[in-house]
Amino acid sequence: MMETPSEYEERKKRKDDQRKINVFRLDDITLVSRSRISTGLEEFDLVLGGGIVPASLILIGGDPGIGKSTLLTQTASFLAKGGQRVLYFSAEESAEQVKLRVDRLGVGGDFHFISDTDLSVLRDLPAALKPKVMVVDSIQTVYLPELSSSPGSVSQVRECANFLLRLAKEEDIAIFLVGHITKEGVIAGPKVLEHLVDVVLYLEGERETGFRILRAIKNRFGAVNEVGVFVMTETGLQSHTKYEDLFLSGDGAVFCVLEGTRPILVEVQALVTKSYLALPRRQSVGFDQVRLSLLCAILEKKVGFNLSDRDVYVKVAGGFRTRDPSADLAVAVALVGSHIERELPERSLFIGEVGLAGELRPVRDLTLRLREAEKKGFTKAFIPKGVDLKVKEFKLEILSFSKLREVIERLFGP
Ligand code: TYD
Ligand code: MG
């Protein structure tokens, strides 16, 4: 018996209803999360988002001599000691040099080493050696012989990085790649390098002071803007959890910057002296020079301090460098304090961006910053007006102002 058209429609509908559609509840999907590998350094793990993700390609940039090789040797050593096989490929140093460092940092274990610049020796080796983690130091000095261009050239950098990316994914090896930063602050070679890798970290700091900051610029497996703070010691880099002390020297104005999600208390000192120059100096270490000039102009025009015959120097303690506009207020009060030779109140925090009209502008995450100061025993905070704060919840005294002039008057009298 033939199906009528309506029966046909009916049957087709039923069939469609039965067709299995794979819709999942997100809750029901269990990720086979691959366990991360600890670097042995708490702060390093934090920046990576909880340790090394297997088979990832991680770029570590920074100025020469800042401690990239040290950091990676330490991690390699830690892993080797723990029984994870490590292959360290150095195109920068001889085996003896690396051995010296490895000995200094105290190692042993499953640590393998190659001193070469020809990356193609890695074509078959890792498959046989099966390391869990590799270090390639550095991207600018290795080359692949099938390309005619010299090491460090755009095409070499790109192809070498691609080669390592494949190696990481195919052989399941986490690879750390060292890159040098040029004067412009970007890693030499094409931007494509940063796109290609899974994670980009920068190691920075002043070579003279011991502290180093490791920053995540890009992280496919974690939060960016996370920072790790280290101190360079005789035996390599150590995680520094009491880092704030480094940036507090005792007689300047204290502000609080956010590095990633971490508030760090930092002190700024100022020196205002008579100038013998036609064009007085405005110089700063760790604080933007242009902002300093602006603050001097604002102090003159809006607060009434004439600095036109004064040399002005500003220095952030501990070699810290900040681009956080909330440091303006601290710099301004430090300048005035030095100019009129008056001391600032102790245990006080100054937070606020200063606008061109001399107004104090609100800054983000004020609560976080105030809590940090409170934790460190600060008793007073000078902040911008107009921030919605539950003032009563704080133990420190909170004083809010809408103008820089008002802060100065409060501190130093009318
Ligand atoms: P290095 O890791 O070679 O820098 P990069 O690879 O970024 O060029 O670090 C060089 C500096 O670190 C060097 O001046 C010596 C210093 N250092 C220490 O202070 N302590 C140590 O334990 C080690 C290994 C190095
Ligand atoms: Mg090095």
Side-chain angles (χ1 to χ4, degrees):
M1 195 173 92
M2 275 282 287
E3 240 175 7
T4 63
S6 67
E7 274 171 347
Y8 169 74
E9 283 302 321
E10 187 59 31
R11 187 170 58 88
K12 186 168 175 288
K13 186 168 175 296
R14 262 201 317 270
K15 203 169 168 205
D16 280 352
D17 285 347
Q18 280 166 357
R19 198 173 62 203
K20 200 160 182 292
I21 305 169
N22 288 332
V23 179
F24 296 102
R25 260 175 67 104
L26 272 180
D27 288 353
D28 297 339
I29 301 174
T30 44
L31 290 176
V32 228
S33 75
R34 311 199 45 198
S35 57
R36 294 181 181 239
I37 307 165
S38 172
T39 59
L41 284 159
E42 195 187 316
E43 301 276 314
F44 196 0
D45 286 347
L46 173 89
V47 176
L48 285 168
I52 307 163
V53 172
S56 60
L57 183 58
I58 302 158
L59 178 66
I60 298 204
D63 287 331
I66 203 73
K68 303 181 293 297
S69 304
T70 304
L71 180 68
L72 294 177
T73 308
Q74 275 178 262
T75 291
S77 303
F78 171 82
L79 293 170
K81 239 194 260 177
Q84 312 242 34
R85 182 163 291 171
V86 177
L87 176 60
Y88 198 109
F89 184 102
S90 181
E92 302 242 322
E93 293 159 307
S94 66
E96 289 74 25
Q97 283 172 302
V98 174
K99 178 85 168 84
L100 270 177
R101 191 166 58 231
V102 165
D103 285 347
R104 180 173 173 183
L105 300 171
V107 207
D110 218 355
F111 198 115
H112 298 254
F113 184 80
I114 299 173
S115 174
D116 205 325
T117 49
D118 181 356
L119 209 54
S120 70
V121 304
L122 290 179
R123 200 145 282 159
D124 301 311
L125 182 70
L129 192 67
K130 295 204 175 306
K132 267 269 128 250
V133 176
M134 262 176 65
V135 175
V136 176
D137 192 356
S138 68
I139 186 68
Q140 280 95 1
T141 46
V142 293
Y143 73 100
L144 285 168
E146 56 265 36
L147 298 176
S148 55
S149 51
S150 54
S153 65
V154 171
S155 53
Q156 280 289 1
V157 166
R158 186 173 49 220
E159 285 318 306
C160 289
N162 262 311
F163 171 82
L164 291 170
L165 183 69
R166 272 198 305 276
L167 195 64
K169 307 297 169 194
E170 280 166 16
E171 302 298 333
D172 194 22
I173 307 168
I175 302 180
F176 286 104
L177 185 54
V178 173
H180 293 297
I181 286 187
T182 60
K183 275 203 208 75
E184 290 73 42
V186 291
I187 291 174
K191 202 69 179 156
V192 68
L193 188 56
E194 294 185 21
H195 289 302
L196 211 122
V197 300
D198 297 308
V199 180
V200 180
L201 307 176
Y202 280 79
L203 186 62
E204 48 186 61
E206 299 288 315
R207 228 170 304 167
E208 307 74 54
T209 63
F211 94 93
R212 302 284 183 275
I213 284 188
L214 186 66
R215 233 180 257 281
I217 304 300
K218 162 182 175 176
N219 193 349
R220 286 194 181 137
F221 319 111
V224 289
N225 283 330
E226 203 55 86
V227 297
V229 185
F230 299 92
V231 182
M232 180 64 92
T233 69
E234 281 298 295
T235 49
L237 291 158
Q238 310 290 334
S239 292
H240 190 51
T241 16
K242 286 189 71 196
Y243 52 88
E244 287 91 344
D245 311 347
L246 267 178
F247 312 122
L248 297 179
S249 63
D251 54 357
V254 178
F255 56 97
C256 185
V257 297
L258 285 177
E259 286 290 350
T261 52
R262 293 171 69 176
I264 300 181
L265 295 176
V266 185
E267 185 163 326
V268 60
Q269 294 172 302
L271 185 64
V272 177
T273 59
K274 184 165 170 36
S275 179
Y276 298 94
L277 302 165
L279 207 63
R281 284 183 204 282
R282 269 93 182 89
Q283 273 174 352
S284 56
V285 180
F287 184 77
D288 186 59
Q289 212 104 327
V290 178
R291 286 193 96 84
L292 177 59
S293 299
L294 285 176
L295 284 175
C296 290
I298 293 163
L299 281 173
E300 178 170 344
K301 186 99 181 160
K302 301 291 171 189
V303 191
F305 289 102
N306 187 356
L307 301 174
S308 63
D309 59 346
R310 304 279 136 174
D311 286 334
V312 168
Y313 304 93
V314 161
K315 185 172 175 295
V316 178
F320 197 89
R321 262 181 244 181
T322 182
R323 269 153 268 125
D324 193 331
S326 75
D328 284 354
L329 180 60
V331 173
V333 299
L335 284 172
V336 174
S338 172
H339 182 54
I340 61 173
E341 297 184 356
R342 293 275 299 276
E343 292 203 347
L344 294 166
E346 281 182 8
R347 306 266 104 198
S348 297
L349 181 73
F350 299 91
I351 296 177
E353 181 180 355
V354 177
L356 287 184
E359 82 279 18
L360 287 188
R361 312 177 71 116
V363 303
R364 71 181 175 100
D365 294 319
L366 195 53
T367 309
L368 212 61
R369 303 182 204 235
L370 292 171
R371 287 270 175 244
E372 182 65 16
E374 205 169 61
K375 232 175 13 196
K376 294 283 156 5
F378 279 64
T379 51
K380 236 181 232 181
F382 294 77
I383 65 163
K385 223 177 213 144
V387 188
D388 199 16
L389 267 187
K390 298 198 178 66
V391 175
K392 287 205 187 68
E393 286 179 10
F394 289 90
K395 279 198 293 292
L396 41 57
E397 186 187 356
I398 294 174
L399 305 159
S400 40
F401 302 86
S402 51
K403 296 249 176 261
L404 173 60
R405 171 191 280 276
E406 297 162 8
V407 180
I408 302 294
E409 279 168 6
R410 168 76 187 228
L411 285 170
F412 307 114

